[in-house]
Amino acid sequence: PGPTKANHPPRTMNFLKITLGVNLALCFVLLWHMLDKGQHAVGSAVVGARQTNVATFSRMRSPVLSSFKRMPKRSVKRYDAIKGTHMGQPGGLETVKLTHPSGSEATIYKWGAAATSFKDSSGTEWLAVRPDAKFDGSKAISGGIPHCFPQFGPGVLPQHGFARDSLWNLVKAEGSSATFELTDSPKTRQIWDYPFRALYTVSLDGDVLKTNLQVVNTGDKPFEFTGALHSYFDVSNIDDIQIVGPFKGKGILDRMQDPAKVITADSDVVKITTETDQVVEGVVGTVKIEDKGKGKSLLIKSTEGWQDTVLWNPYGNSNMGYEKFVCVEAAAAMKPVEVAPGQAWTANMDLIPSAL
Protein backbone atom coordinates (compact mmCIF):
# COMPACT_ATOMS: atom_id res chain seq x y z
CA PRO A 1 0.00 0.00 0.00
CA GLY A 2 1.17 3.55 -0.69
CA PRO A 3 2.11 6.08 1.94
CA THR A 4 -0.65 7.79 3.74
CA LYS A 5 -0.97 11.59 4.14
CA ALA A 6 -0.20 11.21 7.84
CA ASN A 7 3.46 10.31 6.98
CA HIS A 8 4.22 13.48 4.87
CA PRO A 9 4.34 16.10 7.62
CA PRO A 10 7.29 14.53 9.48
CA ARG A 11 9.37 14.50 6.26
CA THR A 12 8.53 18.12 5.59
CA MET A 13 9.33 19.11 9.14
CA ASN A 14 12.65 17.27 9.01
CA PHE A 15 13.57 18.99 5.76
CA LEU A 16 12.71 22.34 7.21
CA LYS A 17 14.75 21.63 10.31
CA ILE A 18 17.75 20.58 8.27
CA THR A 19 17.44 23.64 6.05
CA LEU A 20 17.13 25.91 9.08
CA GLY A 21 20.14 24.25 10.71
CA VAL A 22 22.26 24.65 7.61
CA ASN A 23 21.25 28.27 7.30
CA LEU A 24 22.08 28.95 10.93
CA ALA A 25 25.43 27.26 10.50
CA LEU A 26 26.11 29.32 7.42
CA CYS A 27 25.16 32.45 9.35
CA PHE A 28 27.50 31.54 12.18
CA VAL A 29 30.31 30.83 9.73
CA LEU A 30 29.67 34.10 7.93
CA LEU A 31 29.51 36.01 11.22
CA TRP A 32 32.71 34.40 12.46
CA HIS A 33 34.44 35.21 9.20
CA MET A 34 33.31 38.84 9.38
CA LEU A 35 34.41 39.18 12.98
CA ASP A 36 37.76 37.59 12.28
CA LYS A 37 38.31 39.82 9.28
CA GLY A 38 37.34 42.89 11.29
CA GLN A 39 39.69 42.06 14.11
CA HIS A 40 42.46 41.45 11.64
CA ALA A 41 41.71 44.80 9.99
CA VAL A 42 41.64 46.62 13.34
CA GLY A 43 44.76 44.83 14.47
CA SER A 44 46.46 45.67 11.20
CA ALA A 45 45.38 49.27 11.58
CA VAL A 46 46.72 49.42 15.13
CA VAL A 47 49.96 47.75 14.14
CA GLY A 48 50.19 50.00 11.11
CA ALA A 49 49.54 53.03 13.24
CA ARG A 50 52.16 51.90 15.70
CA GLN A 51 54.63 51.29 12.92
CA THR A 52 53.75 54.65 11.38
CA ASN A 53 54.14 56.44 14.71
CA VAL A 54 57.43 54.72 15.39
CA ALA A 55 58.67 55.60 11.93
CA THR A 56 57.41 59.16 12.31
CA PHE A 57 58.99 59.48 15.75
CA SER A 58 62.21 58.05 14.39
CA ARG A 59 62.18 60.58 11.59
CA MET A 60 61.42 63.36 14.08
CA ARG A 61 63.90 62.12 16.63
CA SER A 62 66.86 61.79 14.35
CA PRO A 63 67.34 65.48 13.50
CA VAL A 64 66.62 66.44 17.11
CA LEU A 65 69.21 64.04 18.41
CA SER A 66 71.55 65.15 15.69
CA SER A 67 71.06 68.77 16.69
CA PHE A 68 71.83 67.90 20.30
CA LYS A 69 74.97 66.17 19.13
CA ARG A 70 75.90 69.27 17.16
CA MET A 71 75.28 71.62 20.12
CA PRO A 72 78.45 73.13 21.62
CA LYS A 73 79.51 71.93 25.03
CA ARG A 74 78.88 75.38 26.51
CA SER A 75 75.10 75.28 26.14
CA VAL A 76 74.58 77.33 29.34
CA LYS A 77 75.11 81.07 29.01
CA ARG A 78 78.40 82.27 30.42
CA TYR A 79 78.88 85.76 31.74
CA ASP A 80 82.21 86.60 30.18
CA ALA A 81 84.25 89.79 30.34
CA ILE A 82 83.64 91.87 27.21
CA LYS A 83 86.47 93.90 25.73
CA GLY A 84 85.64 97.20 24.06
CA THR A 85 86.58 100.84 23.71
CA HIS A 86 85.36 104.13 25.13
CA MET A 87 81.82 104.73 23.81
CA GLY A 88 82.53 102.06 21.20
CA GLN A 89 84.78 104.47 19.31
CA PRO A 90 87.49 102.96 17.07
CA GLY A 91 90.88 103.68 18.58
CA GLY A 92 89.32 104.83 21.86
CA LEU A 93 90.63 103.91 25.29
CA GLU A 94 90.23 100.17 25.82
CA THR A 95 87.67 98.90 28.31
CA VAL A 96 86.57 95.66 29.92
CA LYS A 97 82.93 95.17 30.87
CA LEU A 98 82.08 92.65 33.57
CA THR A 99 78.62 91.18 34.04
CA HIS A 100 77.17 88.85 36.66
CA PRO A 101 74.16 86.51 36.49
CA SER A 102 72.52 88.61 39.21
CA GLY A 103 72.33 91.51 36.74
CA SER A 104 75.13 93.63 38.20
CA GLU A 105 77.80 95.02 35.88
CA ALA A 106 81.01 97.06 35.90
CA THR A 107 83.24 98.80 33.36
CA ILE A 108 87.00 99.21 33.82
CA TYR A 109 89.46 101.10 31.61
CA LYS A 110 92.96 99.81 30.98
CA TRP A 111 94.03 103.46 31.20
CA GLY A 112 94.71 103.86 34.90
CA ALA A 113 92.90 100.53 35.59
CA ALA A 114 90.02 102.83 36.50
CA ALA A 115 86.59 101.34 37.09
CA THR A 116 84.15 103.99 35.88
CA SER A 117 80.81 102.24 36.34
CA PHE A 118 79.29 99.82 38.83
CA LYS A 119 75.59 99.06 38.63
CA ASP A 120 73.84 96.72 41.02
CA SER A 121 71.20 94.24 39.84
CA SER A 122 68.46 96.89 40.04
CA GLY A 123 70.42 99.17 37.69
CA THR A 124 71.46 101.69 40.35
CA GLU A 125 74.76 103.36 39.41
CA TRP A 126 77.27 103.72 42.26
CA LEU A 127 80.30 105.28 40.55
CA ALA A 128 80.45 108.83 39.21
CA VAL A 129 82.50 110.42 36.44
CA ARG A 130 82.97 114.16 36.47
CA PRO A 131 81.62 116.17 33.53
CA ASP A 132 85.11 117.57 32.91
CA ALA A 133 86.71 114.10 32.68
CA LYS A 134 89.02 113.37 29.73
CA PHE A 135 88.98 110.04 27.91
CA ASP A 136 91.77 110.70 25.42
CA GLY A 137 94.72 109.49 27.48
CA SER A 138 96.00 113.02 28.02
CA LYS A 139 95.43 112.80 31.78
CA ALA A 140 93.96 110.57 34.45
CA ILE A 141 90.21 109.86 34.24
CA SER A 142 88.47 112.16 36.70
CA GLY A 143 85.94 109.74 38.08
CA GLY A 144 85.26 106.15 38.95
CA ILE A 145 88.05 104.57 41.00
CA PRO A 146 91.46 106.00 39.98
CA HIS A 147 94.67 104.81 41.65
CA CYS A 148 96.86 107.05 43.75
CA PHE A 149 100.27 105.34 43.71
CA PRO A 150 103.07 105.53 44.72
CA GLN A 151 102.12 108.85 46.30
CA PHE A 152 98.87 110.15 47.71
CA GLY A 153 98.30 113.87 47.23
CA PRO A 154 101.06 116.40 46.54
CA GLY A 155 104.70 115.74 47.35
CA VAL A 156 108.04 115.11 45.69
CA LEU A 157 106.32 113.10 42.95
CA PRO A 158 103.57 114.34 40.64
CA GLN A 159 100.17 114.76 42.32
CA HIS A 160 98.83 111.29 43.26
CA GLY A 161 101.75 109.53 41.53
CA PHE A 162 101.73 107.91 38.09
CA ALA A 163 99.49 104.81 38.31
CA ARG A 164 96.29 106.67 37.48
CA ASP A 165 97.63 107.98 34.16
CA SER A 166 99.51 104.87 33.06
CA LEU A 167 98.33 102.13 30.73
CA TRP A 168 97.86 98.90 32.67
CA ASN A 169 98.08 95.49 31.00
CA LEU A 170 95.05 93.24 31.05
CA VAL A 171 96.48 89.90 32.21
CA LYS A 172 93.22 88.01 32.71
CA ALA A 173 89.54 88.59 32.01
CA GLU A 174 87.04 85.81 32.50
CA GLY A 175 83.56 85.42 33.89
CA SER A 176 82.87 88.32 36.25
CA SER A 177 86.49 89.18 37.02
CA ALA A 178 89.41 91.03 35.42
CA THR A 179 93.02 91.45 36.54
CA PHE A 180 95.29 94.31 35.47
CA GLU A 181 99.04 94.69 35.84
CA LEU A 182 101.39 97.66 36.08
CA THR A 183 105.16 97.24 36.25
CA ASP A 184 108.06 99.63 36.39
CA SER A 185 109.27 101.11 33.12
CA PRO A 186 111.84 103.69 32.05
CA LYS A 187 109.08 106.30 32.47
CA THR A 188 108.22 105.28 36.03
CA ARG A 189 111.89 104.82 37.00
CA GLN A 190 112.53 108.46 36.09
CA ILE A 191 109.84 109.44 38.61
CA TRP A 192 110.25 106.72 41.25
CA ASP A 193 113.36 104.62 40.89
CA TYR A 194 112.12 101.27 42.18
CA PRO A 195 111.22 98.03 40.39
CA PHE A 196 107.73 96.84 41.27
CA ARG A 197 104.73 94.88 40.05
CA ALA A 198 101.16 95.91 40.87
CA LEU A 199 98.26 93.52 40.29
CA TYR A 200 94.73 94.84 40.55
CA THR A 201 91.66 92.60 40.37
CA VAL A 202 88.09 93.81 40.01
CA SER A 203 85.28 91.29 40.32
CA LEU A 204 81.52 91.07 40.77
CA ASP A 205 79.99 88.82 43.39
CA GLY A 206 76.24 89.25 43.16
CA ASP A 207 75.55 92.90 43.95
CA VAL A 208 79.02 93.43 45.44
CA LEU A 209 81.98 94.96 43.61
CA LYS A 210 85.26 93.60 44.96
CA THR A 211 88.73 95.08 44.45
CA ASN A 212 92.10 93.66 45.40
CA LEU A 213 95.41 95.45 44.96
CA GLN A 214 98.78 93.76 45.41
CA VAL A 215 102.06 95.65 45.24
CA VAL A 216 105.18 93.46 44.92
CA ASN A 217 108.72 94.70 45.46
CA THR A 218 110.65 93.04 42.63
CA GLY A 219 113.90 94.83 43.46
CA ASP A 220 116.71 94.24 45.93
CA LYS A 221 116.05 97.11 48.32
CA PRO A 222 112.97 98.14 50.33
CA PHE A 223 110.68 100.95 49.22
CA GLU A 224 107.93 103.05 50.76
CA PHE A 225 104.78 104.50 49.22
CA THR A 226 101.47 106.08 50.07
CA GLY A 227 98.32 105.51 48.07
CA ALA A 228 94.55 105.38 47.81
CA LEU A 229 91.62 104.32 45.69
CA HIS A 230 90.35 107.80 44.83
CA SER A 231 86.74 106.59 44.58
CA TYR A 232 84.06 108.88 43.17
CA PHE A 233 80.63 107.71 44.29
CA ASP A 234 77.45 108.67 42.49
CA VAL A 235 74.85 110.41 44.69
CA SER A 236 71.36 111.70 44.05
CA ASN A 237 72.44 115.08 45.43
CA ILE A 238 75.28 116.01 47.76
CA ASP A 239 72.79 117.72 50.06
CA ASP A 240 70.76 114.51 50.44
CA ILE A 241 73.53 112.24 51.66
CA GLN A 242 75.47 111.62 54.82
CA ILE A 243 78.63 109.64 55.49
CA VAL A 244 78.55 107.40 58.55
CA GLY A 245 81.52 105.74 60.23
CA PRO A 246 83.41 105.43 63.53
CA PHE A 247 84.72 108.99 63.22
CA LYS A 248 83.94 110.48 66.63
CA GLY A 249 87.07 111.23 68.63
CA LYS A 250 89.37 110.47 65.70
CA GLY A 251 91.99 112.86 64.40
CA ILE A 252 91.15 114.42 61.05
CA LEU A 253 93.73 116.14 58.88
CA ASP A 254 91.79 119.07 57.43
CA ARG A 255 93.63 120.00 54.27
CA MET A 256 91.32 122.92 53.51
CA GLN A 257 93.09 124.88 56.22
CA ASP A 258 96.36 126.61 55.39
CA PRO A 259 98.49 125.10 56.67
CA ALA A 260 96.68 121.78 57.06
CA LYS A 261 95.55 121.21 60.60
CA VAL A 262 94.51 118.15 62.63
CA ILE A 263 91.09 118.49 64.22
CA THR A 264 89.04 116.04 66.30
CA ALA A 265 85.80 114.62 64.92
CA ASP A 266 82.82 115.27 67.22
CA SER A 267 80.35 112.97 65.44
CA ASP A 268 80.10 109.69 63.58
CA VAL A 269 78.04 111.42 60.88
CA VAL A 270 79.52 113.75 58.27
CA LYS A 271 77.40 116.08 56.11
CA ILE A 272 79.07 117.83 53.18
CA THR A 273 78.04 121.49 53.27
CA THR A 274 81.25 123.13 52.13
CA GLU A 275 84.35 122.30 50.12
CA THR A 276 85.87 119.31 51.89
CA ASP A 277 89.31 117.66 51.84
CA GLN A 278 89.93 115.58 54.95
CA VAL A 279 91.91 112.49 55.94
CA VAL A 280 90.50 110.50 58.84
CA GLU A 281 93.41 108.59 60.30
CA GLY A 282 92.92 104.99 61.37
CA VAL A 283 89.31 104.70 60.14
CA VAL A 284 88.61 102.31 57.28
CA GLY A 285 86.44 99.37 56.41
CA THR A 286 83.11 100.31 57.96
CA VAL A 287 82.24 103.58 56.25
CA LYS A 288 78.79 103.98 54.69
CA ILE A 289 77.17 106.51 52.36
CA GLU A 290 73.47 106.91 53.11
CA ASP A 291 71.55 108.45 50.22
CA LYS A 292 67.92 109.26 50.99
CA GLY A 293 67.39 110.35 47.38
CA LYS A 294 68.25 106.84 46.17
CA GLY A 295 66.69 105.19 49.18
CA LYS A 296 69.86 103.11 49.43
CA SER A 297 73.21 103.02 51.18
CA LEU A 298 76.66 101.91 50.09
CA LEU A 299 79.07 100.24 52.49
CA ILE A 300 82.75 100.80 51.68
CA LYS A 301 84.36 97.82 53.35
CA SER A 302 88.06 97.03 53.70
CA THR A 303 89.57 94.24 55.76
CA GLU A 304 93.20 94.42 54.68
CA GLY A 305 95.84 96.95 53.70
CA TRP A 306 94.07 100.30 53.65
CA GLN A 307 94.43 102.30 56.88
CA ASP A 308 92.66 105.65 56.49
CA THR A 309 89.57 107.24 54.94
CA VAL A 310 89.72 110.36 52.76
CA LEU A 311 86.67 112.58 52.26
CA TRP A 312 86.66 114.98 49.33
CA ASN A 313 84.13 117.12 47.50
CA PRO A 314 84.65 120.44 45.62
CA TYR A 315 81.41 121.84 47.01
CA GLY A 316 80.12 124.70 44.86
CA ASN A 317 82.23 123.85 41.79
CA SER A 318 79.62 123.19 39.10
CA ASN A 319 82.25 122.55 36.42
CA MET A 320 83.27 119.47 38.38
CA GLY A 321 79.66 118.45 38.99
CA TYR A 322 80.09 118.63 42.77
CA GLU A 323 76.40 117.99 43.53
CA LYS A 324 76.41 114.50 41.95
CA PHE A 325 79.36 112.80 43.65
CA VAL A 326 81.34 112.40 46.83
CA CYS A 327 84.78 110.87 47.23
CA VAL A 328 85.14 108.43 50.13
CA GLU A 329 88.56 106.91 49.63
CA ALA A 330 90.18 103.84 51.13
CA ALA A 331 93.74 105.04 51.67
CA ALA A 332 97.16 104.54 53.16
CA ALA A 333 97.79 108.26 53.40
CA MET A 334 99.05 109.21 56.83
CA LYS A 335 101.80 106.62 57.29
CA PRO A 336 103.87 105.21 54.41
CA VAL A 337 103.71 101.51 53.61
CA GLU A 338 107.10 99.76 53.55
CA VAL A 339 107.64 96.69 51.36
CA ALA A 340 110.79 94.61 51.67
CA PRO A 341 112.53 93.06 48.63
CA GLY A 342 110.60 90.09 47.32
CA GLN A 343 107.63 90.86 49.55
CA ALA A 344 104.10 92.03 48.73
CA TRP A 345 101.52 94.36 50.26
CA THR A 346 97.85 93.58 49.69
CA ALA A 347 94.72 95.67 50.18
CA ASN A 348 91.07 95.11 49.43
CA MET A 349 87.95 97.22 49.16
CA ASP A 350 84.39 95.97 48.62
CA LEU A 351 81.39 98.08 47.64
CA ILE A 352 78.17 96.68 49.14
CA PRO A 353 74.83 98.32 48.27
CA SER A 354 71.73 97.89 50.43
CA ALA A 355 68.39 99.51 51.13
CA LEU A 356 68.22 102.24 53.75
Side-chain angles (χ1 to χ4, degrees):
T4 62
K5 293 181 180 180
N7 293 331
H8 286 200
R11 289 182 182 178
T12 303
M13 292 298 294
N14 290 337
F15 176 78
L16 291 174
K17 288 179 180 179
I18 292 171
T19 302
L20 180 60
V22 171
N23 288 336
L24 288 173
L26 290 172
C27 288
F28 279 117
V29 170
L30 180 61
L31 180 62
W32 178 85
H33 179 71
M34 291 175 65
L35 290 174
D36 182 67
K37 188 175 181 180
Q39 288 179 350
H40 179 73
V42 172
S44 298
V46 171
V47 171
R50 287 177 179 173
Q51 291 176 343
T52 301
N53 289 340
V54 169
T56 303
F57 178 74
S58 298
R59 287 195 299 269
M60 292 174 61
R61 182 178 60 179
S62 297
V64 173
L65 292 177
S66 299
S67 66
F68 273 114
K69 292 177 182 178
R70 290 194 300 268
M71 287 178 68
K73 293 181 179 180
R74 275 180 45 182
S75 58
V76 179
K77 183 177 180 181
R78 286 281 302 275
Y79 287 80
D80 290 332
I82 302 171
K83 300 177 184 179
T85 59
H86 175 65
M87 303 295 287
Q89 298 171 356
L93 295 180
E94 294 180 85
T95 63
V96 176
K97 183 176 181 179
L98 305 179
T99 57
H100 189 272
S102 67
S104 62
E105 61 182 51
T107 301
I108 309 100
Y109 282 74
K110 290 174 64 177
W111 181 252
T116 57
S117 176
F118 164 46
K119 295 179 182 178
D120 62 27
S121 58
S122 70
T124 300
E125 177 64 76
W126 289 104
L127 296 181
V129 176
R130 283 169 26 188
D132 60 344
K134 301 293 184 183
F135 287 90
D136 56 6
S138 62
K139 57 181 295 187
I141 297 172
S142 299
I145 309 179
H147 290 266
C148 300
F149 175 85
Q151 177 181 284
F152 171 78
V156 296
L157 306 182
Q159 173 89 351
H160 291 322
F162 51 72
R164 62 180 186 154
D165 56 2
S166 294
L167 185 63
W168 294 55
N169 295 317
L170 178 64
V171 295
K172 184 172 67 173
E174 59 183 17
S176 301
S177 177
T179 299
F180 302 83
E181 177 190 54
L182 181 66
T183 58
D184 59 286
S185 66
K187 175 185 174 182
T188 67
R189 296 293 287 270
Q190 288 179 356
I191 302 171
W192 191 61
D193 193 17
Y194 295 98
F196 72 93
R197 182 185 188 220
L199 288 171
Y200 181 58
T201 299
V202 181
S203 60
L204 293 170
D205 183 5
D207 267 355
V208 179
L209 180 78
K210 295 177 174 286
T211 70
N212 182 278
L213 176 64
Q214 183 182 73
V215 177
V216 182
N217 185 341
T218 58
D220 56 7
K221 58 183 179 180
F223 60 63
E224 292 184 344
F225 69 89
T226 56
L229 295 179
H230 198 320
S231 308
Y232 289 72
F233 294 113
D234 180 274
V235 299
S236 59
N237 190 287
I238 193 65
D239 296 323
D240 291 334
I241 65 111
Q242 61 183 19
I243 304 160
V244 182
F247 301 134
K248 189 174 181 178
K250 297 292 185 178
I252 298 178
L253 179 64
D254 187 354
R255 303 201 302 175
M256 291 306 301
Q257 299 193 37
D258 189 15
K261 180 181 178 181
V262 176
I263 60 176
T264 302
D266 57 6
S267 174
D268 286 334
V269 179
V270 176
K271 294 279 290 182
I272 305 294
T273 58
T274 185
E275 187 174 358
T276 301
D277 188 358
Q278 299 179 337
V279 182
V280 187
E281 185 174 6
V283 173
V284 72
T286 55
V287 180
K288 183 181 292 187
I289 301 171
E290 296 180 347
D291 190 330
K292 65 180 182 181
K294 288 185 176 183
K296 293 185 177 183
S297 66
L298 184 70
L299 176 64
I300 299 126
K301 180 181 179 181
S302 175
T303 59
E304 184 180 13
W306 303 117
Q307 305 164 6
D308 314 307
T309 296
V310 178
L311 308 177
W312 183 73
N313 178 268
Y315 197 89
N317 190 327
S318 298
N319 291 333
M320 291 187 180
Y322 80 96
E323 70 276 10
K324 300 300 291 182
F325 77 86
V326 65
C327 288
V328 181
E329 309 168 32
M334 298 297 286
K335 297 177 181 178
V337 174
E338 181 174 330
V339 184
Q343 298 300 305
W345 172 85
T346 302
N348 60 50
M349 181 188 74
D350 297 345
L351 305 181
I352 309 172
S354 64
L356 279 178

